[in-house]
Amino acid sequence: MTSGYLDSLSPPAGEALSTALGWTYFVAWSVSFYPQIILNYRRKSVEGLSIDFLVYNVYGFACYAIFNTAFYFSKSIGEEYARRNDGHQSLVRFNDLFFSYHALALSLITFAQSFHYTRSATQASSLIARTFFYFTLAGLALVSMFSSVYNTVYYLSFVKLGCSMVKYVPQAWLNYRRKSTIGWSIHNIILDFTGGLLSFAQLVLDAILSGNVAEALGNPVKFGMGLASIGFDLVFLVQHYVLYTDRYDPLKFETRLRRQGSPPSYGSAENSDADSVQTY
């Protein structure tokens, strides 16, 4: 889709397309949290899942929720944004707000599972993750003391961006060390990849329709989240489908039944062969 075609769209049509992209990416990204939760529940274990990834997720989405809440509801912050951006309005949409709340809630559930279900003795948050957490909290305290509320809220968006840029690294490294993606849901990645593409597309579309393409950078957290998701998801897809193709997982319910000689039958083609239980 070219900018010339977008320029020819009427404002209602452009807004409708943006809304459709927004809610579609919201669904894809929101649903992407569930496969990992379900996988942890079925395995009764979080082995193979990076604890650092969970810490960055909770911390990042907490910052993102506060950022979106402030930009969506605060009139003073909206006015300040307009003054700094030639009168243009913030590109934070209701779907962004709702997504951040939903993502934070599901990230907290996944994090809680890491305390409830089995994990290996070496699974713990790293010194790097703890340092990032305390360092950025100290930065938040300084910004809130010596700068405006607008800058403080904007600082949170960069914390979230930082979390998005680094949170996948520990999981990719863990997969590499284990030479396996068992315990890490590939369905999460496929949905996350889809959401990243759509989020990026909506942001660029909104900027083009507003007449200021550079405005896409006015929401750096959304811009960065989309790019980070796309890039790292490609890494995970290669790891899962090309590098580490052994899907045997003795912790999975179906696999245990098969080892006992009692293959389950769910009456669907998806579970009609032995390989179907090894798709995570």
Side-chain angles (χ1 to χ4, degrees), residues 92-198:
V92 173
R93 300 290 184 258
F94 179 75
N95 56 275
D96 297 317
L97 182 71
F98 194 72
F99 166 75
S100 62
Y101 293 160
H102 183 261
L104 176 59
L106 294 183
S107 295
L108 285 169
I109 291 173
T110 312
F111 187 59
Q113 286 181 318
S114 71
F115 294 97
H116 181 67
Y117 293 138
T118 302
R119 67 183 188 184
S120 67
T122 60
Q123 275 183 286
S125 61
S126 69
L127 177 61
I128 294 175
R130 294 194 297 271
T131 300
F132 177 89
F133 178 75
Y134 291 121
F135 182 80
T136 53
L137 276 185
L140 176 62
L142 290 174
V143 172
S144 63
M145 287 169 45
F146 298 106
S147 191
S148 65
V149 174
Y150 178 90
N151 288 336
T152 301
V153 172
Y154 224 81
Y155 173 84
L156 291 176
S157 75
F158 284 102
V159 174
K160 168 54 185 167
L161 180 57
C163 289
S164 295
M165 297 301 291
V166 304
K167 71 177 183 179
Y168 293 109
V169 175
Q171 185 64 54
W173 177 248
L174 180 62
N175 293 346
Y176 168 76
R177 289 179 57 193
R178 297 171 69 239
K179 298 298 185 290
S180 172
T181 57
I182 292 174
W184 174 242
S185 174
I186 193 61
H187 299 102
N188 162 27
I189 297 307
I190 294 172
L191 289 164
D192 190 60
F193 180 72
T194 302
L197 287 176
L198 295 175

Side-chain angles (χ1 to χ4, degrees), residues 2-31:
T2 64
S3 60
Y5 173 77
L6 293 175
D7 290 338
S8 68
L9 288 176
S10 65
E15 184 66 26
L17 180 57
S18 173
T19 300
L21 285 172
W23 283 106
T24 305
Y25 101 71
F26 162 77
V27 171
W29 262 354
S30 296
V31 175

Side-chain angles (χ1 to χ4, degrees), residues 12 25 45 91 154 157 193 214 234 238 266 278:
Y25 101 71
S45 171
L91 294 180
Y154 224 81
S157 75
F193 180 72
L234 288 173
V238 171
Y266 301 114
Q278 300 176 357

